[in-house]
């Protein structure tokens, strides 16, 4: 049975003007009826949490007519809630609080029909979230309304209980899949005018568009977020817009655009970008365009961007060294804004990047001249309007960012030519008797300038090479108990923000190693010696650290959810604010451990020794403490 979408939309529209008060009332109702849930929010900024609630409700209601999007979003949301300590038994509590709050705010508009619509909707939402969390065929009790009164009557769920029919299998979502084998393709021109006109509508909201893109990307693909762990997101958003501007403005110059995209793909290797991430980016980009273009997001515009992104990704992947990659085209077959997957025909439209064999220095010169002219026009406009000093400073900051962008985007030979040209120009216009003239007058000075520029320009390449060497060292030391080279390689890679997921260092001696903020999920530290190590804020989700020596280790604020710490010695370690949801700590030695404000919900502490441990504000909800040795104050409870 389908949901009554119009009732849901209309009733939520009445709530929206009072969104902040509604969210606050929801949490008041939730904690009043279920005080045991309050510790889950002990370290949470409740104001931000209320905004997240409203954002989630808006997302759900606005996507009720797009089940192909909503279904996957809710499953991903349910998967992330595992890390917050959310158990299946909490979902009915949240549902009841939500219905009570709707009743408070809708009052006379809270009819039996509206109530039943929200009962059905919440049941479906919760089922999808539970499915995303990995629970087998979850089902929540349905609530039926049998009287005009605003009371909800609980009843057991029959097998045919009404739920939201979000059947993702029947409505395929937009997807870009990388085909590692060469695919011969006929050239087909992109819809350049559609791309230019649609992007022009987005450009006035460029900053908001970029922010929304990353929100969509991380919401649908949380595994991508660690790639941006040490990134200034404001600058990253500006880079995204600059790249889109460059692509759209260069669509009519494929000889320039093709090489730029290949170089960009090559650089993305050093950022940890793998081919599997390209489809995720494509889906997030399409979703963001749809949000901002709205009625202008026609099937023709969508197909134009699908084709364009497929071509862009192919060129970047080619530049990254993957063999003739090809992304499937997506065709739009109905007036609805839905993209249907189809196998790639031999005639799949791709960007006609026919590299013209021109002098590359002339191409670069033209691009630089155009950029300079645009900046001069912008500066003239600023001065002609008599703007304040702050605006002038902002313009120079933008110029600086553009210079940095072009410095890293252009090939090394092009940067060298430009620098040499600038130095020669300065020599020609500078008085040879002046100090600057004397400095620039010698050939040695020119060589030094070029050498410095080349040294700076090659830093990313040298770093990439050092990463390859570090990984070779780590792989070569597998099974070796003591390896100082491996020890240093792990620390160096982590400092550079490289993902260390799945490393195998079982039995290794790594005392006092510093892996703070490291991405170490699913890694193998079985029987390793990690005494005095620093894992502050590290992600050790599902890591195997069983039978390991972990005395005086700093695990503060680390994510150890579902980690295997069986029979490990954690005596004297710092686990303050750590997330140990579902972790196996059976027979572990936890004497003198600081577990204050840690989350041990659903953890297995069977036979563990917790004597002398600090358990202040620790969440032990659902933990298995059979045969565990616990502090006296906890035993009294």
């Amino acid at each position: 049975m389908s949901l009554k979408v119009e009732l849901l939309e209309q009733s939520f529209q009445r709530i929206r003007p009072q969104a902040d008060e509604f969210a606050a009332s929801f949490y008041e109702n939730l904690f009043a009826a279920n005080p045991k849930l309050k510790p889950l929010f002990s370290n949470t900024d409740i104001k931000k949490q209320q905004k997240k609630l409203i954002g989630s409700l808006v997302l759900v209601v606005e996507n009720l007519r797009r089940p192909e999007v909503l279904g996957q979003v809710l499953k991903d949301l349910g998967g992330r809630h595992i890390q917050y300590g959310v158990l299946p038994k909490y979902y009915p509590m949240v549902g009841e609080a939500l219905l009570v709050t709707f009743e408070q705010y809708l009052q006379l508009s809270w009819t039996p029909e509206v109530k039943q619509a929200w009962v059905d909707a919440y049941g479906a939402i919760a089922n999808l979230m539970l499915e995303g969390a990995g629970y087998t065929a979850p089902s929540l009790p349905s609530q039926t309304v049998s009287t005009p009164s605003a009371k909800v009557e609980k009843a057991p769920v029959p097998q045919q209980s009404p739920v939201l029919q979000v059947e993702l299998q029947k409505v395929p979502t937009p997807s870009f899949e990388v085909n590692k084998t060469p695919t011969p393709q006929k050239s087909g021109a992109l819809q350049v005018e559609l791309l230019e006109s649609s992007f022009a509508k987005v450009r006035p909201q460029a900053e908001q568009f970029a922010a929304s893109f990353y929100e969509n990307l991380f919401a649908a693909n949380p595994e991508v977020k660690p790639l941006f762990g040490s990134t200034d997101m404001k600058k990253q958003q500006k880079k995204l817009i600059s790249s889109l501007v460059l692509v759209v403005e260069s669509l009519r110059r494929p000889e320039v655009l093709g090489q730029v995209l290949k170089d960009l793909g090559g650089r993305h290797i050093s950022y940890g970008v793998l081919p599997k991430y390209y489809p995720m980016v494509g889906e997030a980009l399409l979703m963001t365009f749809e949000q901002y273009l709205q009625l202008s997001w026609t099937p023709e515009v969508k197909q134009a961007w699908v084709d364009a992104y497929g071509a862009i990704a192919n060129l970047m992947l080619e530049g990254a060294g993957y063999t003739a990659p090809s992304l499937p085209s997506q065709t739009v077959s109905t007036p609805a804004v839905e993209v249907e997957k189809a196998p790639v025909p031999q005639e799949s439209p791709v960007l006609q990047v026919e590299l013209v064999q021109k002098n590359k220095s002339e191409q670069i010169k033209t691009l630089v001249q155009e950029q300079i002219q645009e900046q001069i026009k912008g500066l003239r406009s600023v001065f002609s309007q008599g703007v304040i000093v702050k605006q002038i400073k902002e313009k120079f900051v933008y110029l600086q960012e553009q210079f940095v962008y072009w410095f890293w985007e252009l090939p090394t030979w092009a940067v060298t030519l430009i620098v040499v040209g600038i130095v020669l120009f300065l020599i020609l216009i500078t008085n040879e008797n002046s100090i600057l003239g004397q400095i620039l007058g010698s050939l040695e000075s020119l060589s030094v300038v070029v050498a410095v520029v080349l040294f700076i320009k090659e830093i990313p390449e040298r770093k990439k090479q050092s990463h390859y060497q570090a990984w070779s060292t780590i792989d070569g030391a597998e099974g070796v108990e003591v390896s100082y080279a491996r020890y240093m390689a792990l620390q160096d890679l982590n400092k550079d923000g490289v993902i260390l997921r799945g490393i195998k260092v079982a039995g290794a001696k790594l005392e006092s190693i510093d892996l703070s903020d490291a991405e170490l999920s699913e890694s193998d530290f079985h029987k390793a010696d990690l005494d005095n190590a620093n894992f502050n804020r590290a992600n050790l989700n599902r890591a195997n650290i069983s039978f390991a020596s972990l005395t005086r280790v700093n695990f503060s604020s680390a994510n150890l959810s579902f980690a295997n710490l069986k029979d490990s010695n954690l005596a004297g370690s710092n686990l303050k604010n750590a997330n140990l949801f579902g972790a196996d700590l059976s027979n572990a030695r936890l004497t003198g451990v600081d577990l204050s404000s840690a989350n041990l919900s659903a953890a297995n502490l069977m036979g563990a020794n917790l004597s002398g441990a600090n358990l202040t504000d620790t969440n032990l909800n659902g933990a298995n403490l059979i045969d565990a040795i616990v502090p006296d104050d906890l035993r009294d409870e």
Side-chain angles (χ1 to χ4, degrees):
M1 115 177 227
S2 60
L3 291 181
K4 296 181 179 178
V5 176
E6 290 184 0
L7 279 178
L8 295 169
E9 291 174 341
Q10 292 169 4
S11 57
F12 186 74
Q13 198 61 34
R14 293 189 178 95
I15 295 294
R16 212 159 176 176
Q18 308 172 71
D20 292 340
E21 298 90 333
F22 178 91
S25 298
F26 164 77
Y27 284 104
E28 289 174 5
N29 293 332
L30 179 64
F31 298 151
N34 308 281
K36 58 187 175 184
L37 292 184
K38 201 165 187 179
L40 290 176
F41 300 84
S42 57
N43 298 319
T44 303
D45 184 332
I46 202 65
K47 292 291 185 184
K48 291 183 179 178
Q49 188 64 29
Q50 291 167 8
K51 289 182 179 179
K52 286 182 180 180
L53 170 68
I54 293 301
S56 299
L57 287 172
V58 170
L59 176 67
V60 169
V61 174
E62 289 185 348
N63 287 281
L64 287 170
R65 300 178 188 275
R66 295 187 299 168
E68 72 280 6
V69 175
L70 183 58
Q72 191 57 51
V73 169
L74 290 173
K75 288 180 182 179
D76 292 340
L77 187 63
R80 289 196 298 278
H81 271 66
I82 294 177
Q83 299 179 6
Y84 310 147
V86 178
L87 300 175
K89 64 181 180 180
Y90 298 151
Y91 282 76
M93 304 174 191
V94 172
E96 290 173 6
L98 192 64
L99 292 177
V100 168
T101 313
F102 269 117
E103 181 178 357
Q104 289 175 353
Y105 282 77
L106 290 177
Q107 296 182 6
L108 295 178
S109 299
W110 186 242
T111 64
E113 293 77 16
V114 172
K115 176 180 288 185
Q116 192 62 53
W118 279 105
V119 167
D120 295 342
Y122 182 76
I125 291 166
N127 279 342
L128 285 165
M129 289 181 66
L130 284 165
E131 184 179 347
Y135 294 96
T136 306
S139 180
L140 290 185
S142 174
Q143 298 186 3
T144 59
V145 180
S146 58
T147 66
S149 64
K151 293 183 179 179
V152 178
E153 298 180 6
K154 300 180 184 178
V157 184
Q159 293 302 313
Q160 299 80 16
S161 63
V163 293
L164 175 60
Q165 295 181 341
V166 182
E167 299 175 357
L168 298 179
Q169 296 82 359
K170 295 183 181 179
V171 186
T173 57
S175 116
F176 301 87
E177 299 175 358
V178 178
N179 182 358
K180 293 293 183 64
T181 58
T183 302
Q185 298 174 340
K186 278 189 178 180
S187 63
L190 292 180
Q191 300 294 324
V192 176
E193 291 184 1
L194 279 178
L195 295 169
E196 290 175 341
S197 61
S198 58
F199 186 73
K201 294 174 182 175
V202 170
R203 203 161 178 176
Q205 308 174 70
E207 292 181 3
Q208 301 93 318
F209 179 93
S212 297
F213 164 77
Y214 285 105
E215 289 174 5
N216 293 333
L217 178 64
F218 297 152
N221 308 281
E223 69 271 21
V224 176
K225 198 167 187 180
L227 292 175
F228 300 84
S230 55
T231 302
D232 184 331
M233 288 309 297
K234 292 292 184 184
K235 290 183 179 179
Q236 186 65 28
Q237 291 165 12
K238 289 181 180 179
K239 286 182 179 180
L240 170 68
I241 294 301
S242 298
S243 299
L244 288 173
V245 170
L246 175 65
V247 168
V248 174
E249 290 184 349
S250 302
L251 286 170
R252 300 180 187 276
R253 292 183 296 170
E255 69 279 6
V256 175
L257 182 58
Q259 190 58 50
V260 169
L261 290 173
K262 288 180 181 179
D263 292 341
L264 187 64
R267 283 192 300 279
H268 272 65
I269 296 176
S270 61
Y271 307 150
V273 177
L274 301 175
K276 66 180 182 180
Y277 296 146
Y278 284 77
M280 303 174 188
V281 171
E283 291 173 13
L285 191 64
L286 289 181
M287 185 183 296
T288 311
F289 270 117
E290 182 175 0
Q291 289 174 356
Y292 282 76
L293 290 176
Q294 296 182 6
L295 295 178
S296 299
W297 186 244
T298 63
E300 294 76 16
V301 172
K302 174 177 285 186
Q303 191 63 54
W305 279 105
V306 167
D307 295 342
Y309 182 77
I312 292 166
N314 280 341
L315 286 165
M316 290 181 66
L317 284 165
E318 185 178 348
Y322 294 94
T323 307
S326 177
L327 296 180
S329 174
Q330 300 182 359
T331 59
V332 180
S333 59
T334 64
V337 190
E338 296 179 4
V339 179
E340 298 182 8
K341 298 181 188 174
V344 185
Q346 295 300 312
E347 298 78 21
S348 167
V350 295
L351 180 61
Q352 294 180 336
V353 184
E354 302 170 358
L355 296 177
V356 180
Q357 298 302 318
K358 292 182 178 180
N359 188 302
K360 287 189 177 181
S361 61
E362 289 297 322
Q363 297 174 12
I364 299 301
K365 181 180 178 182
T366 302
L367 285 172
V368 172
Q369 286 177 344
E370 290 177 357
Q371 287 291 319
I372 292 173
Q373 289 174 359
E374 288 181 8
Q375 302 309 326
I376 291 174
K377 288 179 182 178
L379 286 172
R380 285 176 178 171
S381 174
V382 168
F383 284 111
S384 66
Q385 295 173 10
V387 294
I388 59 177
V389 176
K390 181 180 177 182
Q391 292 173 301
I392 298 175
K393 288 181 178 179
E394 290 176 351
K395 197 67 179 177
F396 278 107
V397 169
Y398 176 75
L399 284 169
Q400 180 183 352
E401 290 176 349
Q402 287 294 303
F403 172 78
V404 173
Y405 173 78
W406 281 108
F407 180 84
W408 293 114
E409 295 299 311
L410 292 176
T412 302
W413 62 266
V415 173
T416 304
L417 285 178
I418 292 171
V419 171
V420 170
I422 292 172
V423 174
L424 291 175
F425 176 74
L426 290 173
I427 291 173
L428 291 174
I429 66 171
T430 304
N431 188 334
E432 62 181 10
N433 295 321
S434 66
I435 296 175
L436 181 60
Q438 293 175 7
I439 293 173
L440 297 174
S442 63
L443 184 62
E444 290 81 3
S445 299
L446 181 61
S447 300
V448 170
V449 172
V450 173
V452 170
V453 171
L454 289 175
F455 178 82
I456 296 172
K457 181 67 176 171
E458 294 300 320
I459 286 175
E461 187 63 29
R462 290 197 300 274
K463 183 172 287 189
K464 183 168 67 174
Q465 291 298 325
S466 71
H467 289 172
Y468 290 149
Q469 293 172 5
W471 279 117
S472 298
T473 301
I474 294 169
D475 293 341
E478 186 174 350
V480 178
E481 184 177 4
V482 179
S483 171
Y484 186 70
R486 174 181 57 197
Y487 184 101
M488 295 303 297
L490 286 169
Q491 290 194 143
D492 290 344
L493 286 172
N494 186 48
K495 285 180 182 178
D496 287 343
V498 177
I499 294 173
L500 301 174
R501 182 187 295 113
I503 61 168
K504 297 184 184 300
V505 287
K509 284 188 173 293
L510 298 168
E511 303 101 317
S512 303
I513 193 169
D514 184 2
L515 293 175
S516 55
D517 297 290
E519 171 53 60
L520 294 160
S521 56
E522 301 180 4
S523 295
D524 185 4
F525 291 96
H526 176 65
K527 291 187 176 181
D529 186 349
L530 296 163
D531 294 341
N532 297 299
N534 182 13
F535 288 98
N536 182 35
R537 297 184 302 275
N539 181 15
L540 289 148
N541 173 253
R542 299 185 185 278
N544 179 12
I545 324 176
S546 58
F547 296 92
S549 182
L550 303 166
T551 59
R552 298 175 300 282
V553 173
N554 180 12
F555 281 118
S556 60
S557 300
N559 178 18
L560 289 152
S561 57
F562 298 103
N564 182 4
L565 291 152
K566 182 179 180 180
D567 288 284
S568 290
N569 182 7
L570 288 138
S573 291
N574 177 10
L575 285 153
K576 186 176 182 180
N577 294 312
N579 179 16
L580 290 148
F581 176 82
D584 185 357
L585 290 155
S586 56
N587 300 313
R589 186 180 177 188
L590 296 160
T591 54
V593 170
D594 184 0
L595 283 162
S596 55
S597 300
N599 178 17
L600 283 161
S601 179
N604 181 12
L605 291 158
M606 184 176 180
N609 185 351
L610 288 148
S611 58
N614 179 3
L615 294 165
T616 306
D617 296 324
T618 302
N619 180 9
L620 289 161
N621 189 22
N624 180 6
L625 291 165
I626 296 174
D627 296 328
I629 301 173
V630 298
D632 293 338
D633 53 348
L634 184 62
R635 189 182 296 111
D636 293 339
E637 294 180 9

